[in-house]
Coordinates of all heavy atoms in Angstrom, one line a residue:
M1 N -16.7 31.1 -3.5 CA -16.0 32.3 -3.0 C -16.9 33.0 -2.0 O -18.1 33.0 -2.1 CB -15.9 33.2 -4.2 CG -14.9 34.3 -4.0 SD -14.6 35.2 -5.6 CE -14.7 36.8 -5.0
A2 N -16.2 33.6 -1.0 CA -17.0 34.3 0.1 C -17.4 35.7 -0.3 O -16.7 36.4 -1.0 CB -16.1 34.3 1.3
K3 N -18.6 36.1 0.2 CA -19.1 37.4 0.0 C -19.8 37.9 1.2 O -20.4 37.1 1.9 CB -20.0 37.5 -1.3 CG -21.2 36.7 -1.1 CD -22.1 36.7 -2.3 CE -23.3 35.8 -2.2 NZ -24.1 35.7 -3.3
L4 N -19.8 39.2 1.4 CA -20.5 39.8 2.5 C -21.9 40.2 2.1 O -22.1 40.8 1.0 CB -19.8 41.0 3.0 CG -18.4 40.7 3.7 CD1 -17.7 42.0 4.1 CD2 -18.7 39.9 5.0
V5 N -22.9 39.9 2.9 CA -24.3 40.2 2.6 C -24.9 41.0 3.7 O -24.8 40.5 4.9 CB -25.1 38.9 2.3 CG1 -26.6 39.3 2.0 CG2 -24.5 38.1 1.2
K6 N -25.5 42.1 3.5 CA -26.1 42.9 4.6 C -27.4 42.2 5.0 O -28.2 41.9 4.1 CB -26.5 44.3 4.0 CG -25.4 45.3 3.9 CD -25.9 46.6 3.4 CE -24.8 47.4 2.7 NZ -25.3 48.5 2.0
I7 N -27.5 42.0 6.3 CA -28.8 41.4 6.7 C -29.6 42.3 7.7 O -30.8 42.0 7.9 CB -28.6 40.0 7.3 CG1 -27.8 40.0 8.5 CG2 -28.0 39.1 6.2 CD1 -27.9 38.6 9.2
A8 N -28.9 43.2 8.3 CA -29.7 44.0 9.3 C -28.9 45.3 9.6 O -27.8 45.5 9.1 CB -29.8 43.2 10.6
K9 N -29.6 46.2 10.3 CA -28.9 47.4 10.9 C -28.6 47.1 12.3 O -29.3 46.4 13.0 CB -29.9 48.6 10.8 CG -30.3 49.0 9.4 CD -29.2 49.7 8.7 CE -29.6 50.3 7.4 NZ -28.5 50.8 6.6
V10 N -27.5 47.8 12.8 CA -27.1 47.6 14.2 C -28.3 47.8 15.1 O -28.5 47.1 16.1 CB -25.9 48.5 14.5 CG1 -25.6 48.6 16.0 CG2 -24.7 48.1 13.7
K11 N -29.1 48.9 14.9 CA -30.1 49.2 15.8 C -31.3 48.2 15.8 O -32.2 48.3 16.7 CB -30.6 50.6 15.5 CG -31.3 50.8 14.2 CD -31.9 52.2 14.0 CE -32.3 52.5 12.6 NZ -33.0 51.6 11.8
D12 N -31.3 47.3 14.8 CA -32.4 46.4 14.7 C -32.4 45.4 15.9 O -33.5 44.8 16.2 CB -32.4 45.6 13.4 CG -32.6 46.5 12.2 OD1 -33.2 47.6 12.4 OD2 -32.3 46.1 11.1
I13 N -31.3 45.1 16.4 CA -31.2 44.0 17.4 C -30.4 44.6 18.6 O -29.3 44.9 18.6 CB -30.4 42.8 16.9 CG1 -31.1 42.3 15.6 CG2 -30.5 41.7 18.0 CD1 -30.4 41.1 15.1
Q14 N -31.1 44.7 19.7 CA -30.6 45.3 20.9 C -29.7 44.2 21.6 O -29.9 43.0 21.4 CB -31.7 45.7 21.9 CG -32.5 46.9 21.3 CD -31.7 48.1 20.9 OE1 -30.9 48.6 21.7 NE2 -31.8 48.5 19.6
P15 N -28.8 44.7 22.5 CA -28.0 43.7 23.2 C -28.8 42.7 24.0 O -29.9 43.1 24.6 CB -27.2 44.6 24.2 CG -27.0 45.9 23.5 CD -28.3 46.0 22.8
G16 N -28.5 41.4 23.9 CA -29.2 40.4 24.6 C -30.4 39.8 23.7 O -31.1 38.9 24.2
Q17 N -30.5 40.4 22.5 CA -31.6 39.9 21.6 C -31.1 39.2 20.4 O -29.9 39.3 20.1 CB -32.5 41.1 21.2 CG -33.2 41.7 22.4 CD -34.2 42.7 21.9 OE1 -34.0 43.3 20.8 NE2 -35.2 43.0 22.7
A18 N -32.0 38.5 19.8 CA -31.6 37.7 18.5 C -32.8 37.9 17.5 O -33.9 38.2 18.0 CB -31.4 36.3 18.8
A19 N -32.5 37.7 16.3 CA -33.5 37.7 15.3 C -33.1 36.8 14.1 O -31.9 36.6 13.9 CB -33.8 39.2 14.8
A20 N -34.1 36.4 13.4 CA -33.8 35.5 12.2 C -34.1 36.2 10.9 O -35.0 37.0 10.8 CB -34.6 34.2 12.3
Y21 N -33.3 35.9 9.9 CA -33.4 36.6 8.6 C -33.3 35.5 7.6 O -32.5 34.5 7.7 CB -32.3 37.6 8.4 CG -32.4 38.8 9.4 CD1 -31.7 38.7 10.6 CD2 -33.2 39.9 9.1 CE1 -31.8 39.7 11.5 CE2 -33.3 40.9 10.0 CZ -32.6 40.8 11.2 OH -32.7 41.9 12.1
K22 N -34.0 35.7 6.5 CA -33.8 34.7 5.3 C -32.9 35.4 4.4 O -33.2 36.5 3.9 CB -35.2 34.4 4.7 CG -35.1 33.3 3.7 CD -36.4 32.7 3.5 CE -36.2 31.4 2.7 NZ -37.4 30.8 2.3
V23 N -31.8 34.8 4.1 CA -30.8 35.4 3.2 C -30.4 34.3 2.2 O -29.9 33.3 2.6 CB -29.5 35.8 4.1 CG1 -28.5 36.5 3.2 CG2 -29.9 36.6 5.2
E24 N -30.6 34.6 1.0 CA -30.2 33.8 -0.1 C -30.6 32.3 0.1 O -29.8 31.4 0.0 CB -28.7 33.9 -0.4 CG -28.4 35.3 -0.8 CD -27.0 35.5 -1.4 OE1 -26.2 34.5 -1.4 OE2 -26.7 36.6 -1.8
G25 N -31.9 32.1 0.6 CA -32.4 30.8 0.8 C -32.0 30.1 2.1 O -32.5 29.0 2.4
K26 N -31.2 30.8 2.9 CA -30.8 30.2 4.2 C -31.5 31.1 5.3 O -31.6 32.3 5.2 CB -29.3 30.4 4.5 CG -28.4 29.8 3.5 CD -27.0 30.0 4.0 CE -25.9 29.9 3.0 NZ -25.8 28.8 2.2
R27 N -31.9 30.4 6.4 CA -32.4 31.1 7.6 C -31.2 31.3 8.5 O -30.6 30.3 8.9 CB -33.5 30.4 8.3 CG -34.9 30.6 7.5 CD -36.0 30.0 8.3 NE -36.1 30.5 9.6 CZ -36.8 31.7 9.9 NH1 -37.4 32.3 9.0 NH2 -36.9 32.1 11.2
I28 N -30.9 32.6 8.8 CA -29.7 32.9 9.6 C -30.2 33.6 10.9 O -31.0 34.5 10.8 CB -28.7 33.7 8.8 CG1 -28.2 32.9 7.7 CG2 -27.6 34.3 9.7 CD1 -27.1 33.6 6.8
A29 N -29.7 33.2 12.0 CA -30.0 33.8 13.3 C -28.8 34.8 13.6 O -27.7 34.4 13.5 CB -30.1 32.8 14.4
L30 N -29.2 36.0 13.9 CA -28.2 37.0 14.3 C -28.4 37.3 15.8 O -29.6 37.6 16.2 CB -28.5 38.2 13.4 CG -27.4 39.3 13.4 CD1 -26.1 38.9 12.9 CD2 -27.9 40.5 12.6
Y31 N -27.3 37.4 16.5 CA -27.4 37.6 18.0 C -26.5 38.8 18.3 O -25.4 39.0 17.8 CB -26.8 36.4 18.7 CG -27.3 35.1 18.2 CD1 -26.6 34.4 17.2 CD2 -28.4 34.5 18.8 CE1 -27.0 33.2 16.7 CE2 -28.8 33.2 18.4 CZ -28.1 32.6 17.3 OH -28.6 31.4 16.9
N32 N -27.0 39.6 19.3 CA -26.2 40.7 19.8 C -25.9 40.4 21.2 O -26.7 40.3 22.1 CB -27.1 42.0 19.7 CG -26.3 43.2 20.2 OD1 -25.4 43.1 21.0 ND2 -26.8 44.4 19.9
V33 N -24.6 40.1 21.4 CA -24.1 39.8 22.8 C -23.3 41.0 23.3 O -22.1 41.2 22.9 CB -23.2 38.5 22.8 CG1 -22.7 38.2 24.2 CG2 -24.0 37.3 22.2
E34 N -24.0 41.8 24.1 CA -23.3 43.0 24.6 C -22.6 43.8 23.6 O -21.5 44.3 23.7 CB -22.4 42.6 25.7 CG -23.1 42.0 26.9 CD -22.2 41.5 28.0 OE1 -21.0 41.7 27.9 OE2 -22.7 40.9 29.0
G35 N -23.3 44.0 22.4 CA -22.7 44.8 21.3 C -21.9 44.1 20.3 O -21.5 44.7 19.3
T36 N -21.6 42.8 20.5 CA -20.9 42.0 19.5 C -21.9 41.1 18.9 O -22.7 40.5 19.5 CB -19.8 41.2 20.2 OG1 -18.9 42.1 20.8 CG2 -19.0 40.3 19.2
F37 N -21.9 41.1 17.5 CA -22.8 40.3 16.8 C -22.2 39.0 16.4 O -21.0 38.9 16.0 CB -23.2 41.1 15.5 CG -24.2 42.2 15.8 CD1 -23.7 43.5 16.1 CD2 -25.5 42.0 15.8 CE1 -24.5 44.5 16.3 CE2 -26.4 43.1 16.1 CZ -25.9 44.3 16.4
Y38 N -23.1 37.9 16.4 CA -22.7 36.6 16.0 C -23.8 36.1 15.1 O -25.0 36.5 15.3 CB -22.6 35.6 17.2 CG -21.5 36.0 18.2 CD1 -21.8 36.8 19.3 CD2 -20.2 35.6 18.0 CE1 -20.8 37.2 20.2 CE2 -19.2 36.0 18.9 CZ -19.5 36.8 20.0 OH -18.5 37.1 20.8
A39 N -23.5 35.2 14.2 CA -24.5 34.6 13.4 C -24.3 33.1 13.2 O -23.2 32.6 13.2 CB -24.5 35.2 12.0
T40 N -25.5 32.4 13.3 CA -25.5 30.9 13.0 C -26.6 30.6 12.1 O -27.5 31.4 11.9 CB -25.7 30.1 14.3 OG1 -27.0 30.3 14.8 CG2 -24.7 30.5 15.4
A41 N -26.7 29.4 11.7 CA -27.9 28.9 11.0 C -29.0 29.0 12.1 O -28.7 28.8 13.3 CB -27.7 27.4 10.6
D42 N -30.2 29.3 11.6 CA -31.3 29.4 12.6 C -32.0 28.1 12.9 O -33.1 28.0 13.4 CB -32.4 30.4 12.0 CG -33.4 30.7 13.0 OD1 -33.1 30.9 14.2 OD2 -34.6 30.8 12.6
T43 N -31.3 27.0 12.6 CA -31.9 25.7 12.8 C -31.1 24.8 13.7 O -29.9 24.5 13.4 CB -32.0 25.0 11.4 OG1 -32.7 25.9 10.5 CG2 -32.8 23.7 11.5
C44 N -31.7 24.5 14.9 CA -31.0 23.6 15.8 C -30.7 22.3 15.1 O -31.5 21.7 14.4 CB -31.9 23.4 17.0 SG -31.1 22.4 18.3
T45 N -29.5 21.7 15.5 CA -29.1 20.5 14.8 C -29.7 19.3 15.5 O -29.5 18.1 15.1 CB -27.6 20.3 14.9 OG1 -27.1 20.4 16.2 CG2 -26.9 21.4 14.0
H46 N -30.5 19.5 16.6 CA -31.2 18.4 17.2 C -32.5 18.1 16.5 O -32.6 17.2 15.7 CB -31.4 18.7 18.7 CG -32.1 17.6 19.5 ND1 -33.2 17.9 20.3 CD2 -31.9 16.3 19.6 CE1 -33.6 16.7 20.8 NE2 -32.9 15.8 20.4
W47 N -33.6 18.9 16.7 CA -34.8 18.7 16.1 C -35.3 20.0 15.3 O -36.5 20.2 15.1 CB -35.9 18.3 17.1 CG -35.9 16.9 17.4 CD1 -35.0 15.9 17.0 CD2 -36.9 16.2 18.2 NE1 -35.3 14.7 17.6 CE2 -36.5 14.8 18.3 CE3 -38.0 16.6 18.9 CZ2 -37.2 13.9 19.0 CZ3 -38.7 15.6 19.6 CH2 -38.3 14.3 19.7
A48 N -34.3 20.8 14.9 CA -34.6 21.9 14.0 C -35.4 23.1 14.6 O -36.1 23.8 13.8 CB -35.3 21.4 12.7
A49 N -35.3 23.3 15.8 CA -35.9 24.5 16.4 C -35.3 25.7 15.9 O -34.1 25.8 15.5 CB -35.8 24.4 18.0
P50 N -36.1 26.8 15.9 CA -35.5 28.1 15.5 C -34.7 28.7 16.6 O -35.2 29.2 17.6 CB -36.8 29.0 15.2 CG -37.9 28.4 16.1 CD -37.5 26.9 16.2
L51 N -33.4 28.7 16.4 CA -32.5 29.2 17.5 C -32.6 30.6 17.9 O -32.4 31.0 19.0 CB -31.0 28.9 17.1 CG -30.7 27.4 17.1 CD1 -29.2 27.2 16.6 CD2 -30.8 26.8 18.4
A52 N -33.0 31.5 16.9 CA -33.2 32.9 17.2 C -34.3 33.1 18.3 O -34.3 34.2 18.9 CB -33.5 33.7 16.0
E53 N -35.1 32.1 18.5 CA -36.1 32.2 19.6 C -35.6 31.7 20.9 O -36.4 31.7 21.9 CB -37.4 31.5 19.2 CG -38.1 32.1 17.9 CD -39.3 31.4 17.4 OE1 -39.9 30.6 18.2 OE2 -39.7 31.6 16.3
G54 N -34.4 31.3 21.0 CA -33.8 30.8 22.2 C -33.3 31.9 23.1 O -33.6 33.1 22.8
K55 N -32.7 31.5 24.2 CA -32.1 32.5 25.1 C -30.6 32.6 25.0 O -29.9 31.6 24.9 CB -32.4 32.1 26.5 CG -33.8 32.5 27.1 CD -33.7 32.5 28.6 CE -34.8 33.2 29.3 NZ -36.0 33.5 28.7
I56 N -30.1 33.8 25.0 CA -28.7 34.0 25.0 C -28.2 33.9 26.4 O -28.7 34.5 27.3 CB -28.3 35.4 24.4 CG1 -28.7 35.5 22.9 CG2 -26.8 35.7 24.5 CD1 -28.6 36.8 22.3
R57 N -27.1 33.0 26.6 CA -26.5 32.8 27.9 C -25.0 33.0 27.7 O -24.4 32.1 27.1 CB -26.9 31.4 28.4 CG -26.3 31.1 29.8 CD -26.8 29.7 30.2 NE -26.2 28.6 29.4 CZ -26.6 27.4 29.3 NH1 -27.7 27.0 30.0 NH2 -26.0 26.5 28.5
G58 N -24.5 34.1 28.2 CA -23.1 34.4 27.9 C -22.9 34.5 26.4 O -23.6 35.2 25.7
T59 N -22.0 33.7 25.9 CA -21.8 33.6 24.4 C -22.3 32.3 23.8 O -21.8 31.7 22.9 CB -20.3 33.8 24.0 OG1 -19.5 32.9 24.7 CG2 -19.8 35.2 24.3
E60 N -23.4 31.8 24.5 CA -24.1 30.6 24.0 C -25.5 31.0 23.6 O -26.1 31.9 24.2 CB -24.1 29.5 25.0 CG -22.7 29.0 25.4 CD -22.8 27.9 26.5 OE1 -23.9 27.8 27.2 OE2 -21.9 27.2 26.6
I61 N -26.1 30.2 22.7 CA -27.6 30.2 22.5 C -28.1 28.9 23.0 O -27.6 27.9 22.7 CB -27.9 30.5 21.0 CG1 -29.4 30.6 20.9 CG2 -27.3 29.4 20.1 CD1 -30.1 31.8 21.5
V62 N -29.2 29.1 23.8 CA -29.9 27.9 24.4 C -31.1 27.7 23.6 O -32.0 28.6 23.4 CB -30.2 28.1 25.9 CG1 -31.0 26.9 26.4 CG2 -29.0 28.4 26.7
C63 N -31.2 26.5 23.0 CA -32.3 26.2 22.1 C -33.7 26.3 22.9 O -33.8 25.8 24.0 CB -32.1 24.7 21.6 SG -33.5 24.2 20.6
P64 N -34.7 26.9 22.2 CA -36.0 27.0 22.9 C -36.8 25.8 23.1 O -37.7 25.8 23.9 CB -36.7 28.0 21.9 CG -36.1 27.7 20.6 CD -34.7 27.4 20.8
W65 N -36.4 24.7 22.4 CA -37.3 23.5 22.5 C -36.8 22.5 23.6 O -37.6 22.1 24.4 CB -37.3 22.7 21.2 CG -38.2 23.4 20.2 CD1 -38.9 24.6 20.3 CD2 -38.5 23.0 18.9 NE1 -39.5 25.0 19.2 CE2 -39.4 24.0 18.3 CE3 -38.2 21.9 18.1 CZ2 -39.8 23.8 17.0 CZ3 -38.6 21.7 16.8 CH2 -39.5 22.7 16.3
H66 N -35.5 22.1 23.6 CA -35.1 21.1 24.6 C -33.9 21.5 25.4 O -33.3 20.7 26.0 CB -34.8 19.8 23.8 CG -35.8 19.3 22.9 ND1 -35.6 19.4 21.5 CD2 -37.1 18.9 23.1 CE1 -36.8 18.9 20.9 NE2 -37.7 18.7 21.9
G67 N -33.5 22.8 25.3 CA -32.4 23.3 26.1 C -31.0 22.9 25.7 O -30.0 23.2 26.4
G68 N -30.8 22.4 24.5 CA -29.5 22.2 23.9 C -28.9 23.6 23.8 O -29.6 24.6 23.7
A69 N -27.5 23.6 23.8 CA -26.9 24.9 23.7 C -25.7 24.8 22.7 O -25.1 23.8 22.5 CB -26.4 25.4 25.0
F70 N -25.4 26.0 22.1 CA -24.3 26.1 21.1 C -23.5 27.3 21.5 O -24.0 28.4 21.8 CB -24.9 26.3 19.7 CG -25.7 25.1 19.3 CD1 -27.1 25.1 19.5 CD2 -25.2 24.0 18.6 CE1 -27.9 24.1 19.1 CE2 -26.0 22.9 18.2 CZ -27.3 23.0 18.5
D71 N -22.2 27.1 21.3 CA -21.2 28.3 21.4 C -21.4 29.1 20.2 O -21.2 28.7 19.1 CB -19.8 27.7 21.5 CG -18.8 28.7 21.8 OD1 -18.9 29.8 21.3 OD2 -17.8 28.4 22.6
L72 N -21.6 30.4 20.4 CA -21.9 31.3 19.3 C -20.6 31.6 18.5 O -20.6 32.1 17.4 CB -22.5 32.6 19.7 CG -24.0 32.5 20.2 CD1 -24.5 33.8 20.8 CD2 -24.9 31.9 19.1
K73 N -19.4 31.4 19.2 CA -18.1 31.7 18.5 C -17.7 30.5 17.6 O -17.0 30.8 16.6 CB -17.0 32.0 19.5 CG -17.3 33.2 20.4 CD -16.2 33.4 21.4 CE -16.5 34.7 22.2 NZ -15.5 35.0 23.2
T74 N -18.1 29.3 18.0 CA -17.6 28.2 17.2 C -18.7 27.3 16.6 O -18.4 26.5 15.7 CB -16.8 27.2 18.1 OG1 -17.7 26.7 19.1 CG2 -15.6 27.9 18.8
G75 N -19.9 27.5 17.1 CA -21.0 26.6 16.6 C -21.0 25.3 17.3 O -22.0 24.5 17.2
N76 N -20.0 25.0 18.2 CA -20.0 23.7 18.8 C -21.2 23.5 19.8 O -21.6 24.5 20.5 CB -18.7 23.5 19.6 CG -17.5 23.3 18.7 OD1 -17.7 22.8 17.5 ND2 -16.4 23.6 19.1
A77 N -21.7 22.3 19.9 CA -22.8 22.0 20.9 C -22.1 22.0 22.2 O -21.1 21.3 22.4 CB -23.4 20.7 20.5
T78 N -22.7 22.7 23.2 CA -22.1 22.7 24.5 C -23.0 22.1 25.6 O -22.6 21.9 26.7 CB -21.8 24.2 25.0 OG1 -23.1 24.9 24.8 CG2 -20.8 24.8 24.1
C79 N -24.2 21.7 25.2 CA -25.1 21.1 26.1 C -26.1 20.2 25.3 O -26.6 20.6 24.3 CB -25.9 22.2 26.9 SG -27.0 21.5 28.1
G80 N -26.3 19.0 25.8 CA -27.2 18.1 25.1 C -28.7 18.5 25.3 O -28.9 19.4 26.2
P81 N -29.6 18.0 24.6 CA -29.4 16.9 23.6 C -28.8 17.2 22.3 O -28.6 16.4 21.5 CB -30.9 16.4 23.4 CG -31.7 17.7 23.6 CD -31.0 18.5 24.7
A82 N -28.4 18.5 22.1 CA -27.8 18.8 20.8 C -26.3 18.2 20.9 O -25.7 18.3 21.9 CB -27.7 20.3 20.6
I83 N -25.9 17.6 19.8 CA -24.6 17.0 19.7 C -23.8 17.6 18.5 O -22.6 18.0 18.7 CB -24.7 15.5 19.5 CG1 -25.4 14.9 20.8 CG2 -23.3 14.9 19.3 CD1 -25.8 13.4 20.6
K84 N -24.4 17.7 17.4 CA -23.7 18.2 16.2 C -23.6 19.7 16.3 O -24.5 20.4 16.7 CB -24.5 17.9 14.9 CG -24.5 16.4 14.6 CD -25.2 16.2 13.3 CE -25.5 14.7 13.1 NZ -26.5 14.5 12.1
P85 N -22.5 20.3 15.8 CA -22.4 21.7 15.7 C -23.3 22.4 14.8 O -23.8 21.8 13.8 CB -20.9 21.9 15.3 CG -20.5 20.7 14.6 CD -21.3 19.6 15.2
V86 N -23.6 23.7 15.0 CA -24.5 24.4 14.1 C -23.5 25.3 13.2 O -22.5 25.7 13.7 CB -25.5 25.3 14.9 CG1 -24.8 26.4 15.7 CG2 -26.6 25.8 14.0
A87 N -23.9 25.6 12.0 CA -23.1 26.4 11.1 C -23.0 27.8 11.7 O -24.0 28.4 12.2 CB -23.7 26.4 9.7
C88 N -21.8 28.4 11.6 CA -21.6 29.8 12.1 C -21.2 30.6 10.9 O -20.5 30.1 10.0 CB -20.4 29.8 13.0 SG -20.7 29.4 14.7
F89 N -21.5 31.9 10.9 CA -21.1 32.8 9.8 C -20.3 33.9 10.4 O -20.7 34.5 11.5 CB -22.3 33.3 9.1 CG -23.2 32.2 8.6 CD1 -24.2 31.7 9.3 CD2 -22.9 31.6 7.3 CE1 -25.0 30.6 8.9 CE2 -23.7 30.6 6.9 CZ -24.7 30.1 7.6
R90 N -19.3 34.3 9.7 CA -18.5 35.5 10.2 C -19.4 36.7 10.0 O -20.1 36.9 9.0 CB -17.2 35.6 9.3 CG -16.3 36.7 9.9 CD -14.9 36.5 9.2 NE -14.9 37.1 7.9 CZ -14.5 38.3 7.6 NH1 -14.1 39.2 8.5 NH2 -14.6 38.8 6.3
V91 N -19.3 37.6 11.0 CA -20.1 38.9 11.0 C -19.2 40.0 10.8 O -18.2 40.1 11.6 CB -21.0 39.0 12.2 CG1 -21.8 40.3 12.2 CG2 -21.9 37.8 12.4
V92 N -19.5 40.9 9.9 CA -18.8 42.2 9.8 C -19.7 43.4 9.9 O -20.7 43.4 9.2 CB -18.1 42.2 8.4 CG1 -17.4 43.6 8.2 CG2 -17.1 41.1 8.2
V93 N -19.4 44.2 10.9 CA -20.2 45.4 11.1 C -19.5 46.6 10.4 O -18.3 46.8 10.7 CB -20.5 45.7 12.6 CG1 -21.3 47.0 12.8 CG2 -21.2 44.6 13.2
E94 N -20.2 47.3 9.5 CA -19.6 48.4 8.8 C -20.6 49.6 9.0 O -21.7 49.5 8.4 CB -19.5 48.0 7.3 CG -18.2 48.7 6.7 CD -18.0 48.1 5.3 OE1 -18.8 48.4 4.4 OE2 -17.1 47.3 5.1
G95 N -20.2 50.5 9.8 CA -21.1 51.6 10.0 C -22.3 51.1 10.7 O -22.2 50.4 11.8
E96 N -23.5 51.3 10.1 CA -24.8 50.8 10.7 C -25.2 49.5 10.2 O -26.2 48.9 10.6 CB -25.9 51.8 10.4 CG -25.8 53.1 11.3 CD -25.9 52.8 12.8 OE1 -26.8 52.2 13.2 OE2 -24.9 53.2 13.5
D97 N -24.4 48.9 9.2 CA -24.8 47.7 8.6 C -24.2 46.5 9.2 O -23.0 46.5 9.5 CB -24.4 47.7 7.1 CG -25.2 48.8 6.3 OD1 -26.3 49.1 6.7 OD2 -24.6 49.4 5.4
V98 N -25.0 45.5 9.4 CA -24.5 44.2 9.9 C -24.5 43.2 8.7 O -25.5 43.0 8.0 CB -25.4 43.6 11.0 CG1 -24.8 42.3 11.5 CG2 -25.5 44.6 12.2
Q99 N -23.3 42.7 8.4 CA -23.2 41.8 7.2 C -22.7 40.4 7.7 O -22.0 40.3 8.7 CB -22.2 42.4 6.3 CG -22.4 43.8 5.9 CD -21.2 44.4 5.2 OE1 -21.1 44.4 4.0 NE2 -20.3 45.0 6.0
V100 N -23.1 39.4 6.9 CA -22.6 38.1 7.2 C -21.9 37.6 6.0 O -22.2 38.0 4.9 CB -23.7 37.1 7.6 CG1 -24.4 37.4 8.9 CG2 -24.8 37.0 6.5
E101 N -20.9 36.8 6.2 CA -20.1 36.2 5.2 C -20.7 34.9 4.7 O -20.8 34.0 5.5 CB -18.7 36.0 5.6 CG -17.7 35.6 4.5 CD -16.3 35.5 5.0 OE1 -15.6 36.5 4.9 OE2 -15.9 34.4 5.4
L102 N -21.1 34.8 3.5 CA -21.6 33.6 2.9 C -20.7 33.1 1.8 O -20.0 33.9 1.1 CB -23.0 33.9 2.3 CG -24.1 34.4 3.3 CD1 -25.4 34.7 2.5 CD2 -24.3 33.4 4.4
Q103 N -20.8 31.8 1.6 CA -20.1 31.2 0.5 C -21.0 31.1 -0.7 O -22.2 30.9 -0.6 CB -19.6 29.7 0.8 CG -18.7 29.7 2.1 CD -17.4 30.4 1.9 OE1 -16.8 30.3 0.9 NE2 -17.0 31.1 3.0
D104 N -20.4 31.3 -1.9 CA -21.2 31.2 -3.2 C -21.5 29.8 -3.4 O -20.8 28.9 -3.1 CB -20.4 31.8 -4.4 CG -20.6 33.3 -4.4 OD1 -21.5 33.8 -3.9 OD2 -19.7 33.9 -5.1
Ligands
LIG201 S1 -34.5 21.1 18.9 FE1 -32.8 22.1 19.9 S2 -32.3 20.9 21.6 FE2 -33.9 19.9 20.6

């Protein structure tokens, strides 16, 4: 069953920035793209780089290690050497709270 878990406050991540959080045993990267938040697993599907340390390019995250990229809306790999998609999580902003939807 899905549940919403608070992971940050809106003011914690400025537009164009990302941060990683440990939530219920998972590392989740949260991105602020011009005021819209997206969340993915914080682990690149190529060699497991921390994606929150990458660069946001449009609505993609570019991996900090080898330049692979992922679409933040779908998780699909958009640039090699990454091939496999990264897990995405639905984000719900309620007031000042940023929440992600996790499965039990
Ligand atoms: S670890 Fe991300 S592209 Fe290699």
Side-chain angles (χ1 to χ4, degrees):
M1 197 172 135
K3 63 180 174 186
L4 291 173
V5 179
K6 284 182 203 168
I7 64 169
K9 296 283 188 193
V10 169
K11 65 177 169 42
D12 294 341
I13 307 178
Q14 298 304 307
Q17 295 187 334
Y21 297 89
K22 192 159 188 185
V23 185
E24 300 191 355
K26 303 180 201 306
R27 281 187 60 85
I28 294 181
L30 189 64
Y31 314 88
N32 181 338
V33 179
E34 297 177 4
T36 300
F37 287 88
Y38 299 94
T40 69
D42 187 40
T43 307
C44 181
T45 58
H46 179 231
W47 278 6
L51 289 175
E53 294 177 18
K55 272 204 168 16
I56 295 172
R57 180 178 67 198
T59 52
E60 295 179 342
I61 181 68
V62 179
C63 178
W65 286 3
H66 311 110
F70 300 90
D71 185 321
L72 293 174
K73 296 179 178 179
T74 63
N76 289 336
T78 54
C79 182
I83 297 169
K84 291 184 189 161
V86 69
C88 278
F89 303 93
R90 189 167 78 92
V91 178
V92 175
V93 176
E94 214 171 69
E96 286 301 306
D97 295 326
V98 183
Q99 306 166 93
V100 292
E101 186 176 273
L102 300 178
Q103 301 297 320
D104 276 339

